[in-house]
């Protein structure tokens, strides 16, 4: 159990890291969604039988983005005002992208 000198600084560092990583995962998942959606016309044209695989991959990427954002939001919850504000801002921007992509999935 960490009770030594510098405990608060170590906890702040790890809180930041435990929030950064899920945000990075969400960003990568969103990039994958955008790439996969961009390949949809080519898949429909040349390999229609693979569209189910593409759709499954998209669903998994959406889930990865959403779960990762949820984890980041839990880590951000209860932090002092202004603490990790940059990460909170990133989380909001990523959540907006997830919502947009999730909403447009029905029309894709």
């Amino acid at each position: 159990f960490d009770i030594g000198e510098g405990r608060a600084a170590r906890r702040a560092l790890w809180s930041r890291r435990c929030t950064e990583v899920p945000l990075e995962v969400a960003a990568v998942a969103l990039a994958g969604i955008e790439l996969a959606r961009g390949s949809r016309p080519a898949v429909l044209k040349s390999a229609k039988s693979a569209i189910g695989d593409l759709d499954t991959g998209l669903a998994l990427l959406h889930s990865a983005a959403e779960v990762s954002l949820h984890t980041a939001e839990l880590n951000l919850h209860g932090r002092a005002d202004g603490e990790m504000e940059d990460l909170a801002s990133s989380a909001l921007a990523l959540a907006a992208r997830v919502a947009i992509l999730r909403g447009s999935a029905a029309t894709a």
Side-chain angles (χ1 to χ4, degrees), residues 11-32:
R11 287 183 57 95
L13 174 69
W14 281 107
S15 290
R16 173 168 277 283
R17 192 65 186 137
C18 289
T19 305
E20 287 173 336
V21 170
L23 291 176
E24 291 168 6
V25 170
V28 168
L30 287 168

Side-chain angles (χ1 to χ4, degrees), residues 12-88:
L13 174 69
W14 281 107
S15 290
R16 173 168 277 283
R17 192 65 186 137
C18 289
T19 305
E20 287 173 336
V21 170
L23 291 176
E24 291 168 6
V25 170
V28 168
L30 287 168
I33 290 166
E34 291 166 346
L35 285 170
R37 292 187 67 197
S39 69
R40 189 175 194 81
V43 171
L44 285 170
K45 182 179 179 181
S46 62
K48 280 187 182 180
S49 63
I51 203 68
D53 296 328
L54 180 66
D55 289 343
T56 299
L58 282 164
L60 291 170
L61 288 166
H62 276 286
S63 293
E66 291 168 350
V67 169
S68 296
L69 281 172
H70 179 70
T71 298
E73 289 166 2
L74 289 173
N75 291 337
L76 288 165
H77 182 68
R79 303 305 304 173
D81 286 342
E83 190 177 352
M84 297 196 297
E85 189 173 319
D86 58 325
L87 297 181

Side-chain angles (χ1 to χ4, degrees), residues 23 26 30 65-66 69-70 73 88-102:
L23 291 176
L30 287 168
E66 291 168 350
L69 281 172
H70 179 70
E73 289 166 2
S89 180
S90 293
L92 286 173
L94 289 168
R97 282 180 61 202
V98 167
I100 290 167
L101 290 172
R102 179 64 85 184

